[in-house]
Amino acid sequence: MKRPIAVYPGSFDPVTFGHIDVVNRATELFPKVIVLVARNPSKSPLFSDKERVEMIKEVFNGNKKVGVDVFDGLLVSYAKRKNASVLVRGLRAVSDFEFEFQMALMNRKLDPSIDTVFLMPHARYTYLNSTIVREVARLGGDVSGFVPPTVRRRLQEKLNLRNNSK
Ligand code: PNS
């Protein structure tokens, strides 16, 4: 059976080692994984969608199985347009489950031909999320164990800019 194209949507503000672990696992299962950055106007991200896309591209530079894109519509419509029939989401802990379950069932209701696959990142990333990384960086903590060097640099630049404009 032909393996389907997968879409891995998220805010990625910024991409962390946890996200990267999920992408790497997904590329073992699917021939093509599109990491899809949500514009999400209801959130006010630290990084613009362009910056978030750039960081992900830098991380997966040279990996032909990984594509990066940005969207602001319905996820299932995007997936359909790209001929993708699988959505990938990371599941770290039971606390993630309720929201993820709701989203997966809503997406199935909207398009029954698209399935959601949950992948568990390595246990060492269970506590990791982008909000915590932004917070640690903002307070001057060391984020090198949570994000790749390119993201760490950009976090520093972004936070320095913010501090200088205050
Ligand atoms: O990284 P996040 O913030 O948990 O990602 C959430 C995201 C972007 C996957 C979710 O908000 C989403 O799918 N947005 C697209 C809008 C949509 O299709 N909504 C209906 C299904 S719930």
Side-chain angles (χ1 to χ4, degrees):
M1 196 181 86
K2 200 165 167 259
R3 288 183 299 158
I5 296 174
V7 171
Y8 177 32
S11 302
F12 305 109
D13 185 34
V15 66
T16 68
F17 284 146
H19 297 127
I20 294 166
D21 182 286
V22 169
V23 175
N24 288 334
R25 286 171 200 278
T27 57
E28 295 291 318
L29 299 171
F30 306 107
K32 175 96 185 171
V33 177
I34 303 173
V35 183
L36 188 60
V37 174
R39 280 216 178 90
N40 205 344
S42 62
K43 288 188 177 178
S44 36
L46 177 63
F47 292 100
S48 70
D49 48 80
K50 186 169 164 274
E51 290 168 321
R52 287 179 277 154
V53 165
E54 278 170 5
M55 284 186 276
I56 298 166
K57 282 190 174 164
E58 281 163 15
V59 169
F60 292 103
N61 183 23
N63 187 339
K64 289 195 173 59
K65 290 178 109 181
V66 180
V68 189
D69 204 355
V70 63
F71 85 121
D72 53 12
L74 261 189
L75 184 53
V76 289
S77 309
Y78 176 92
K80 192 122 202 149
R81 228 173 32 248
K82 293 288 171 179
N83 264 332
S85 54
V86 167
L87 303 174
V88 170
R89 290 286 287 172
L91 209 50
R92 290 162 301 191
V94 178
S95 51
D96 284 341
F97 183 75
E98 199 168 330
F99 175 60
E100 295 299 334
F101 186 65
Q102 250 176 10
M103 274 208 305
L105 291 187
M106 175 54 82
N107 285 327
R108 177 180 285 165
K109 184 81 188 155
L110 293 170
D111 187 338
S113 70
I114 296 177
D115 260 313
T116 303
V117 167
F118 295 105
L119 295 176
M120 275 175 289
H122 194 286
R124 72 170 79 99
Y125 304 127
T126 306
Y127 62 93
L128 194 54
N129 67 44
S130 300
T131 309
I132 287 181
V133 169
R134 291 196 305 272
E135 174 87 355
V136 171
R138 190 174 59 79
L139 298 172
D142 177 11
V143 294
S144 56
F146 316 135
V147 294
T150 176
V151 175
R152 186 165 52 89
R153 258 193 317 275
R154 281 181 186 251
L155 271 167
Q156 266 158 5
E157 280 165 20
K158 181 71 76 179
L159 295 166
N160 285 344
L161 272 180
R162 280 202 163 178
N163 290 340
N164 291 341
S165 65
K166 273 183 192 160

